[in-house]
Amino acid sequence: MTVQTRPPRLQSAEGEVQQPRVFDSTTNPEALRAPQGMPMAMATRDLAVHYAAFLAVRGVDLAVARNKITALIGPSGCGKSTVLRCFNRMNDLIPTAQVSGKVELDGVDIYAPDIDPVEVRRKVGMVFQKPNPFPKTIYENVAWGARINGYRGRMDDLVEDALQRAALWDEVKDKLQASGLSLSGGQQQRLCIARAIAVRPEIILMDEPCSALDPIATLRIEELMQTLKSDYTIVIVTHNMQQAARASDYTAFFSVGSQRDGYLVEFGPTAELFTNPVDPRTEDYITGRFG
Amino acid sequence: MARALYDRELHRLENEVQTLGNMVRDALRHSTDNLRRDDLAASERLMAFDRDINSRRYRVESEIMTLIATQQPVAGDIRLLAAMLEVVGELERMGDYAKGIATIHVRLAGWQMPSDVLDRLEHMADIAADMLGRALDAFERRDAAIARAVIADDDTIDAVFNEVFAATISGPVDDARAIERANYMLWVAHNLERAADRVTNICERVIYTVTGRQAVVEEDEATDRGDAVSVFG
C-alpha cells in the first residue's frame, strides 16, 4: 500500500519558502470591535501622546466597558503603558509629555482645564509592576490613602473591607501592625491592590502587575481580578499574552510603526481576538511570529 | 522566525495528518477493489492495515495534545490544531469503514456480488476517495472554496447509494441466504456513504480553520427522508 507525504504548508513542492507579509501601520477599522450594549467607564478619542518631539502613540480610539477587564497588549514600545497612564493623568508627571485627543471618564474629558488630576487619580487607581508598599504597617498602607482624602468613617472597617476585597485579610488579620514590606511579593501586590481599593475608585489600572510574581501568586492576582470586576472596572497592561487570554474580557493589541510610533491595531472581545483575530498583524503577534 | 521549532512541529503534524488521510484513501479504494478481484488475502491484509491507521491516529492525537499543552497556540494555530484533532478522528473512523468492507468480504466467503452492484460500489469508493483527496488538498491549501465544493459532492454518492439500495432489495424475500447477502451489500454501500459523510465533516473543519467560523452545513436531506439511509443512520 503506497503512502504519500506532502510538503509543509509554508513551503511549496519546489522548496520555495513563502515571503513574509509586509504591513503598513494603518489601523484597520474592521479590527476595532468596541463592546456593544454595555455602559462605558472610559473612552479615548484620537488619543496621541508626544514625549517632546517624539510621537509615542497616536490615533487611539478605545472604549473601556464598565465592570469588565480590558487588557492592553503589544510589543515593547507600542505605547500601551503610555495609554494606560493617560487614563489617570499619570503622564502629567512627565515634563515632556503632551497629550492630545480626548480621554473620557463617565463621559467627562479628564484633560479638560477645570479637572483636578488628583480627583481623577482618586477615581482611577493604579497598581504598578513592582509591588511598592509604603515602609509602614500593613494597616497604615491601606488607611493612608483614605486618610489623606479626608475619610471620616470607621477606619478599622475600611481597612478590613479593603483587605477582604483584595483577598489578603485572612493572611494578615493577626499582624496588621507588621510592616507591609515583611509580606511576600504576591501579598505585597495584593496589599497595593487593597491600598488602591481603600480610596473607593471606579477604575483600577494595572501596569504589568504580575511580572515580579511567581506563577501561583500570578494566578491569585488573576483570580482576584475576576472577583474585583463586579465592583470595579479594570484595565491591565501585560506582556504575558496567556494572562491577557485567561484574565481579560476585552483585549486591545497595539503595535509599533516605522517611526517607533505606537498605534492600536485591533480591539475586541478576548475570546474572539485569541481564536479568530481580524488583522494579520494581531495573528502574527499572538502566535509568536512577530518580527 | 521567532518560533522555528514550534512551526516545524506544527508542519510535521500537518504532514502526519496528510499521511494518515492518504492511508485511509488507499484503504477505501482497496476495499472495493478486493471485492471486485475477490482477493480474500488482500481483504485480510486490509483488516490488519486498520491497526496501523488506528495507532497512527492515536499517536498524532497525542502529539497534538502535547503541542497544545506546551506551546499554548492561539488564533489560526489553535483552530488548525483543533481541526486536526477532529480530522484524525474522522479519518480513523473512515478506516474502520474500509475494514468493515473487508470483513464483509471475508464473511461472504467467495460469493461474488452481482457485477452491477460491484460497479456501483466501486463507483462509490472512487467518489469517497476522490472527495477525501480533495478535502485533504483543501486542508493543506487552506481553501474553503474547495471544501465547500467537496461538501456539495456528497449528494452524488448518496444518489449511487440509493441505486444500490434499489438493486439489492429487488431480490427474493423468502430466501434467507439472499437476504443475508443483500444485507451485506447494503452494509458495504452504507460504509462508503458514511465515509463520504465524514469527508464532509473534515471539510467543515477546513472551513472553520480558514474562516474562524463554524460551518453550518445542511445535513443531507436523505437522512431525514426516512428512506434507506436512516435505517443505518
Side-chain angles (χ1 to χ4, degrees):
Chain A
M1 221 160 276
T2 56
V3 169
Q4 297 172 14
T5 55
R6 292 172 184 243
R9 177 166 62 95
L10 292 177
Q11 220 167 352
S12 73
E14 293 75 37
E16 182 187 347
V17 176
Q18 289 180 4
Q19 293 301 308
R21 289 172 289 192
V22 178
F23 303 108
D24 63 22
S25 59
T26 14
T27 301
N28 174 4
E30 289 179 11
L32 301 181
R33 289 161 291 174
Q36 298 292 317
M38 58 183 70
M40 294 300 130
M42 296 200 81
T44 67
R45 309 254 183 265
D46 200 23
L47 176 67
V49 181
H50 281 83
Y51 294 118
F54 171 61
L55 176 60
V57 67
R58 62 174 164 77
V60 177
D61 289 320
L62 193 61
V64 176
R66 189 179 304 285
N67 297 114
K68 298 289 179 189
I69 300 170
T70 300
L72 313 183
I73 64 169
S76 296
C78 69
K80 56 190 184 297
S81 288
T82 296
V83 169
L84 189 78
R85 286 197 298 268
C86 289
F87 285 153
N88 70 345
R89 292 188 59 167
M90 289 289 279
N91 284 325
D92 291 12
L93 308 175
I94 301 171
T96 58
Q98 283 181 301
V99 177
S100 64
K102 277 190 175 176
V103 180
E104 293 174 348
L105 171 62
D106 299 327
V108 175
D109 182 3
I110 63 171
Y111 281 90
D114 57 337
I115 297 291
D116 177 3
V118 174
E119 179 61 14
V120 170
R121 290 179 204 130
R122 195 198 63 72
K123 287 186 173 175
V124 187
M126 195 156 192
V127 176
F128 295 89
Q129 187 170 355
K130 272 186 72 175
N132 57 352
F134 303 133
K136 293 177 179 292
T137 64
I138 293 167
Y139 185 99
E140 277 306 312
N141 262 280
V142 181
W144 180 81
R147 188 170 289 131
I148 63 165
N149 274 294
Y151 180 72
R152 300 199 183 282
R154 282 174 52 88
M155 191 60 82
D156 287 358
D157 292 347
L158 179 80
V159 169
E160 179 176 344
D161 179 65
L163 288 168
Q164 290 272 18
R165 287 170 186 260
L168 188 59
W169 173 251
D170 288 344
E171 293 161 62
V172 301
K173 64 185 176 191
D174 298 324
K175 52 177 181 182
L176 292 174
Q177 296 309 312
S179 167
L181 297 171
S182 68
L183 300 174
S184 72
Q187 289 172 324
Q188 286 187 22
Q189 196 62 305
R190 279 181 279 143
L191 179 61
C192 293
I193 291 171
R195 185 176 66 190
I197 289 170
V199 294
R200 314 215 171 213
E202 292 177 28
I203 293 165
I204 303 172
L205 308 178
M206 296 183 169
D207 193 354
E208 298 190 53
C210 302
S211 62
L213 306 183
D214 66 38
I216 302 299
T218 296
L219 291 175
R220 289 204 68 165
I221 297 285
E222 290 175 10
E223 287 291 314
L224 174 58
M225 287 163 62
Q226 297 303 321
T227 312
L228 290 174
K229 77 175 183 181
S230 59
D231 294 318
Y232 309 97
T233 301
I234 297 174
V235 186
I236 178 172
V237 162
T238 177
H239 269 122
N240 181 338
M241 279 179 288
Q242 275 71 48
Q243 179 169 65
R246 280 193 303 264
S248 72
D249 300 299
Y250 292 90
T251 298
F253 167 59
F254 291 78
S255 192
V256 195
S258 56
Q259 305 299 310
R260 296 195 297 136
D261 48 328
Y263 61 98
L264 180 62
V265 173
E266 181 156 354
F267 177 52
T270 297
E272 288 179 29
L273 192 130
F274 278 93
T275 57
N276 193 18
V278 171
D279 195 296
R281 291 168 292 192
T282 314
E283 173 110 15
D284 284 353
Y285 182 75
I286 65 176
T287 58
R289 297 185 176 88
F290 174 84
Chain B
M1 185 72 70
R3 301 185 79 183
L5 284 173
Y6 165 65
D7 277 323
R8 205 176 302 151
E9 181 63 3
L10 199 56
H11 296 150
R12 188 187 68 76
L13 287 171
E14 274 196 81
N15 283 338
E16 290 277 3
V17 173
Q18 292 287 336
T19 301
L20 182 64
N22 288 324
M23 289 166 72
V24 170
R25 191 170 56 161
D26 286 345
L28 284 172
R29 284 219 167 96
H30 281 286
S31 67
T32 53
D33 188 46
N34 296 344
L35 278 174
R36 164 71 74 189
R37 292 184 294 104
D38 197 19
D39 187 342
L40 286 168
S43 281
E44 281 168 357
R45 284 199 299 278
L46 186 57
M47 289 159 70
F49 183 63
D50 188 55
R51 286 199 290 273
D52 294 348
I53 291 173
N54 291 349
S55 63
R56 184 177 284 264
R57 175 256 167 117
Y58 287 109
R59 179 172 57 75
V60 173
E61 185 177 296
S62 169
E63 289 169 351
I64 292 169
M65 295 296 285
T66 300
L67 197 67
I68 291 172
T70 57
Q71 297 289 335
Q72 291 94 42
V74 293
D77 291 351
I78 190 66
R79 297 203 306 273
L80 172 64
L81 286 162
M84 282 160 67
L85 277 177
E86 189 90 10
V87 168
V88 293
E90 298 290 357
L91 290 171
E92 191 257 322
R93 198 73 189 91
M94 290 167 72
D96 290 343
Y97 292 136
K99 178 191 174 188
I101 292 169
T103 306
I104 287 169
H105 184 205
V106 171
R107 285 194 190 166
L108 286 170
W111 178 74
Q112 184 73 324
M113 292 182 184
S115 63
D116 62 323
V117 173
L118 270 176
D119 287 345
R120 289 186 173 105
L121 293 178
E122 278 195 315
H123 188 200
M124 289 181 76
D126 284 343
I127 295 170
D130 176 68
M131 286 172 67
L132 176 56
R134 286 187 292 134
L136 293 170
D137 193 41
F139 200 23
E140 185 181 25
R141 294 170 187 267
R142 307 284 192 275
D143 192 326
I146 294 178
R148 289 194 179 94
V150 174
I151 290 170
D153 282 356
D154 191 42
D155 290 345
T156 312
I157 198 166
D158 290 340
V160 185
F161 174 84
N162 289 333
E163 290 172 17
V164 175
F165 183 78
T168 50
I169 63 163
S170 61
V173 294
D174 55 351
D175 180 345
R177 194 167 184 100
I179 290 171
E180 184 186 19
R181 286 169 176 166
N183 201 20
Y184 279 139
M185 288 188 283
L186 272 181
W187 269 109
V188 172
H190 163 72
N191 280 8
L192 294 168
E193 190 271 331
R194 290 298 294 148
D197 285 345
R198 291 184 180 272
V199 175
T200 66
N201 292 347
I202 291 172
C203 290
E204 289 170 11
R205 295 296 100 201
V206 172
I207 294 167
Y208 173 68
T209 303
V210 176
T211 66
R213 292 187 297 277
Q214 301 283 0
V216 180
V217 179
E218 292 297 324
E219 282 291 314
D220 191 331
E221 289 179 3
T223 55
D224 299 326
R225 280 203 298 262
D227 62 10
V229 178
S230 65
V231 172
F232 300 101

